[in-house]
């Protein structure tokens, strides 16, 4: 019988952030496939778990992937973990998941910490709809494309960033986000956990020497309301409020004047006899 592939989320800092189920699975599996075996060994030592570890990172070749799949096909249960947080999210694992699915291997996600969700829920920024872009690309063309998407995003945007690139990313964001609010979630779940908010410009003033790990949360772009009145006559504009919203004459005139940025009396003259 084939084994199973468990995708096990591990702490992003605080070692207490691991689920009972994750601990049980790490104890029960035959092999743990880890992004960095030394890093995972620290966690396993903390949990008093001794297990056969195999390394698998973003540069691992197809042969490595196949050998992991072969183990599962031969009946071994495998847990895949990344250095921190949820495997596959800006971390290796996606290729193995795809290959496992092709081989009809059962995939069992073991949920737990994930930096983007941890940052978002405490940011105070709209969490109803959001886009996660991971790390911004370094390639200029691809980066500009992403920045353009952020500029016009109708959702909250979440980014990951390394400390040594934070300032240049904030500078790029400053060019496109202007007055929008950003939150930097730093060192989540660790001793120096911190949430710093402000416009990109204010963040550039506050964060001089970035240290630690950062998630960047960006408020959605204010969409300019489509000016549906632009091509209407004054009469159509007035009737829109009377017919669509059932407004009385006075209120409709007040609203038309507001839309047009003129004094109420100027509009009123046109409707004296209505
Ligand atoms: N798989 C991980 C997850 O579930 O969040 C993300 C791995 S990605 C390679 C690493 C990036 O995640 C860091 O550069 C940082 O942007 C973010 N990150 C991870 N841990 C963090 C923490 N404790 N505080 C803030 N950001 C963190």
């Amino acid at each position: 019988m084939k084994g199973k592939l468990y995708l096990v989320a591990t702490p992003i800092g605080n070692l207490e952030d691991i689920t009972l189920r994750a601990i049980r699975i790490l104890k029960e599996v035959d092999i743990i496939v880890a992004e960095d075996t030394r890093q995972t060994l620290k966690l396993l030592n903390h949990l008093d778990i001794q297990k056969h570890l195999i390394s698998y990172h973003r540069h691992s070749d197809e042969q490595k992937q196949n050998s992991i799949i072969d183990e599962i096909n031969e009946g071994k249960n495998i847990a895949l973990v990344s250095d921190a947080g949820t495997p596959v999210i800006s971390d290796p694992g996606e290729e193995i998941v795809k290959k496992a699915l092709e081989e009809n291997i059962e995939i069992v996600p073991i949920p737990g910490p994930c930096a983007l969700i941890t940052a978002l829920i405490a940011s105070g920024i709209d969490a109803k709809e959001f886009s996660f872009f991971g790390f911004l690309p370094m390639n200029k063309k691809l980066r500009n494309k992403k920045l353009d998407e952020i500029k016009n995003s109708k959702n909250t945007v979440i980014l990951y960033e390394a400390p040594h690139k934070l300032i240049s990313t904030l500078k790029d964001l400053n060019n496109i986000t202007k007055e929008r609010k950003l939150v930097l979630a730093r060192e989540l779940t660790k001793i120096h956990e911190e949430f710093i908010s402000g416009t990109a410009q204010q963040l550039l003033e506050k964060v001089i020497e970035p240290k630690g790990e950062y998630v960047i949360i960006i408020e959605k772009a204010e969409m300019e309301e489509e000016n549906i009145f632009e091509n209407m006559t004054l009469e159509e504009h007035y009737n829109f409020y009377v017919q669509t919203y059932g407004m009385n004459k006075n209120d409709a005139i007040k609203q038309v004047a507001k839309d047009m940025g003129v004094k109420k009396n100027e509009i009123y003259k046109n409707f004296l006899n209505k």
Side-chain angles (χ1 to χ4, degrees):
M1 211 174 79
K2 284 180 197 241
K4 293 180 188 171
L5 174 62
Y6 295 90
L7 306 171
V8 182
T10 56
I12 54 170
N14 190 323
L15 291 181
E16 287 177 353
D17 294 332
I18 184 151
T19 68
L20 297 174
R21 188 171 173 221
I23 297 173
R24 178 175 61 78
I25 296 296
L26 292 176
K27 281 184 181 158
E28 285 177 3
V29 289
D30 301 292
I31 303 169
I32 297 176
V33 172
E35 187 185 3
D36 178 343
T37 50
R38 281 169 310 173
Q39 191 66 25
T40 300
L41 207 52
K42 285 187 211 158
L43 176 70
L44 295 182
N45 286 340
H46 175 79
L47 298 171
D48 207 11
I49 297 175
Q50 285 91 40
K51 198 61 65 175
H52 177 39
L53 282 177
I54 296 180
S55 94
Y56 175 74
H57 44 80
R58 63 193 78 247
H59 304 296
S60 293
D61 55 18
E62 208 177 337
Q63 209 179 337
K64 191 69 182 260
Q65 289 165 17
N66 291 339
S67 71
I68 294 166
I69 296 293
D70 288 347
E71 296 274 15
I72 305 176
N73 275 332
E74 283 161 20
K76 300 257 170 54
N77 286 317
I78 286 193
L80 175 77
V81 299
S82 56
D83 282 0
T86 302
V88 180
I89 303 299
S90 294
D91 264 336
E94 195 170 326
E95 292 310 317
I96 292 196
V97 170
K98 285 184 186 154
K99 267 193 196 295
L101 287 172
E102 282 166 19
E103 301 268 336
N104 289 321
I105 288 169
E106 189 180 343
I107 317 256
V108 188
I110 310 293
C114 183
L116 75 107
I117 300 295
T118 311
L120 178 66
I121 58 171
S123 69
I125 293 190
D126 191 348
K128 283 188 280 303
E129 291 183 38
F130 60 89
S131 308
F132 172 58
F133 288 179
F135 293 93
L136 280 181
M138 288 315 288
N139 171 290
K140 206 163 177 197
K141 201 165 155 203
L142 297 177
R143 189 175 176 92
N144 284 340
K145 192 164 168 277
K146 281 283 164 217
L147 287 168
D148 214 44
E149 279 178 52
I150 295 171
K151 184 178 175 185
N152 300 310
S153 176
K154 292 181 186 157
N155 305 325
T156 296
V157 174
I158 307 175
L159 300 175
Y160 283 167
E161 194 49 284
H164 62 285
K165 294 187 193 146
L166 185 74
I167 297 295
S168 67
T169 293
L170 285 178
K171 284 182 182 164
D172 284 347
L173 290 174
N174 189 32
N175 291 333
I176 55 156
T177 56
K178 306 286 179 203
E179 294 308 312
R180 279 154 76 185
K181 180 179 167 190
L182 277 68
V183 174
L184 288 181
R186 172 176 174 263
E187 293 287 86
L188 291 162
T189 79
K190 303 183 198 176
I191 297 171
H192 298 293
E193 177 179 88
E194 186 177 20
F195 293 87
I196 314 164
S197 61
T199 61
Q201 179 57 44
Q202 288 166 341
L203 294 181
L204 280 165
E205 286 155 22
K206 288 183 193 176
V207 183
I208 309 299
E209 266 185 71
K211 278 196 199 95
E213 300 195 271
Y214 290 87
V215 179
I216 309 173
I217 316 266
I218 305 160
E219 192 176 56
K220 68 181 173 199
E222 258 331 308
M223 288 296 129
E224 275 179 32
E225 292 227 349
E226 200 186 345
N227 191 353
I228 55 168
F229 305 119
E230 213 164 49
N231 299 319
M232 285 186 190
T233 63
L234 194 57
E235 181 127 13
E236 285 166 341
H237 194 158
Y238 169 86
N239 282 336
F240 171 83
Y241 283 118
V242 174
Q243 284 158 14
T244 314
Y245 290 103
M247 283 186 185
N248 64 33
K249 185 176 167 182
N250 250 342
D251 286 346
I253 286 174
K254 220 194 293 178
Q255 194 55 50
V256 171
K258 193 172 164 217
D259 292 341
M260 294 177 67
V262 296
K263 288 215 168 86
K264 204 172 81 178
N265 282 351
E266 283 183 44
I267 307 296
Y268 207 77
K269 277 188 256 157
N270 289 276
F271 294 100
L272 270 182
N273 301 319
K274 283 186 189 286

